[in-house]
Amino acid sequence: MSSLPSGIRLMNLLRECLTEIMDRERANQNSIHLYCTGLYWVAFERSAYQLYRAFPDSETTPMRLYGYPFPIVMVSVTDRSLSSYARKHILRRDDKDYKQLTVPVLSLADYQEWHAGEVEGLPLLSEKV
């Protein structure tokens, strides 16, 4: 799978693990859960907010996914940025395709404000007739 392009790996991750990822994020208060998509590591929702705060040069992508009722925010960082960060910080989990960082407890109000701003103006998915 590692030879697949990052975009394909991301689509596979979302197709195969979205429910597990979103369940994990609903209870997340002090972690960044990261998933490998090749040259990039991605985080979603609460993890995405924490990643955005830790990596000012990260990329933020709001999205709507077919079959999921709410807009999702994803933040990505390069493998190089994450590797540099990991040299100075202890990872709670350090697997090949998944990493977990411990961070200060999330301010729910700050997260909600950030999330609302990121998804503002995101078009609705069109319904099939």
Side-chain angles (χ1 to χ4, degrees):
M1 177 152 160
S2 60
S3 64
L4 292 174
S6 288
I8 300 296
R9 290 187 67 175
L10 174 62
M11 296 311 292
N12 288 342
L13 174 70
L14 292 171
R15 185 180 64 249
E16 296 166 10
C17 303
L18 182 62
T19 301
E20 174 188 333
I21 290 168
M22 297 311 288
D23 287 347
R24 183 179 283 150
E25 289 304 321
R26 268 189 281 289
N28 184 14
Q29 293 187 2
N30 68 334
S31 293
I32 301 175
H33 300 279
L34 293 155
Y35 308 90
C36 183
T37 63
L39 298 176
Y40 296 91
W41 289 86
V42 297
F44 301 91
E45 294 299 293
R46 295 177 183 204
S47 289
Y49 174 65
Q50 297 279 35
L51 187 63
Y52 164 79
R53 292 183 50 182
F55 291 83
D57 62 339
S58 57
E59 283 286 324
T60 303
T61 307
M63 62 179 90
R64 289 192 185 275
L65 299 174
Y66 185 77
Y68 191 76
F70 307 107
I72 296 171
V73 178
M74 177 183 80
V75 171
S76 59
V77 295
T78 63
D79 183 61
R80 177 180 284 179
S81 291
L82 185 61
S83 294
S84 175
Y85 182 89
R87 280 190 225 107
K88 301 174 203 144
H89 298 83
I90 296 172
L91 301 177
R92 187 185 303 173
R93 230 170 117 189
D94 189 9
D95 299 339
K96 187 179 110 188
D97 289 330
Y98 172 77
K99 298 191 185 311
Q100 183 180 6
L101 308 172
T102 301
V103 291
V105 173
L106 174 77
S107 162
L108 193 54
D110 290 349
Y111 159 71
Q112 289 171 334
E113 181 181 337
W114 172 81
H115 191 278
E118 292 298 330
V119 301
E120 186 177 2
L122 195 60
L124 296 174
L125 286 176
S126 60
E127 296 288 325
K128 289 189 176 182
V129 181

